[in-house]
Amino acid sequence: VQLQASGGGLVQAGGSVSLSCAASGGSFSGYVTGWFRQAPGKEREFVAAISWSGGSTYYADSVKGRFTIFRDNTKNTVYLQMYSLIPEDTAAYYCAASRLMSTTKLGYEYWGQGTQVTVSS
């Protein structure tokens, strides 16, 4: 399974950005998809995750109420809609796939490349 993240860019504080994670090259069926982010000099941290059915979602406290994760399995794509962005959201955002729900990066076996989100103050 290959994951392709896209949609990052430069946005002003208070703005919004939508990220996409498209899967290809194998069956994505049954996989949990998570989003993580990594700022310069910091550890990669969990942002959000969604079950295969979309019925279960989890968010880091820092993004709860501002970010929404959802998926379209007909397109093999998971989205992260980010609202009310703050400079602290600036990071490279990575999507990942896991067979089990997890909020730690150790649980994910497939990773996409990062897409940069920069929030200016």
Side-chain angles (χ1 to χ4, degrees), residues 60-104:
D61 288 343
S62 59
V63 307
K64 202 171 293 183
R66 300 188 299 118
F67 291 9
T68 300
I69 188 171
F70 58 100
R71 67 192 305 155
D72 184 346
N73 289 337
T74 66
K75 298 180 179 179
N76 276 347
T77 302
V78 172
Y79 304 90
L80 184 69
Q81 184 66 46
M82 306 159 62
Y83 301 96
S84 301
L85 287 162
I86 58 178
E88 289 75 16
D89 294 320
T90 295
Y93 283 73
Y94 300 84
C95 60
S98 170
R99 296 180 186 274
L100 298 173
M101 179 58 72
S102 175
T103 59
T104 72

Side-chain angles (χ1 to χ4, degrees), residues 19-81:
L19 306 183
S20 300
C21 176
S24 63
S27 176
F28 203 36
S29 178
Y31 278 88
V32 169
T33 303
W35 284 96
F36 292 78
R37 66 186 181 185
Q38 188 167 17
K42 294 188 176 181
E43 292 288 322
R44 189 169 298 187
E45 65 176 5
F46 170 77
V47 174
I50 186 168
S51 61
W52 167 249
S53 70
S56 296
T57 56
Y58 298 86
Y59 296 92
D61 288 343
S62 59
V63 307
K64 202 171 293 183
R66 300 188 299 118
F67 291 9
T68 300
I69 188 171
F70 58 100
R71 67 192 305 155
D72 184 346
N73 289 337
T74 66
K75 298 180 179 179
N76 276 347
T77 302
V78 172
Y79 304 90
L80 184 69
Q81 184 66 46

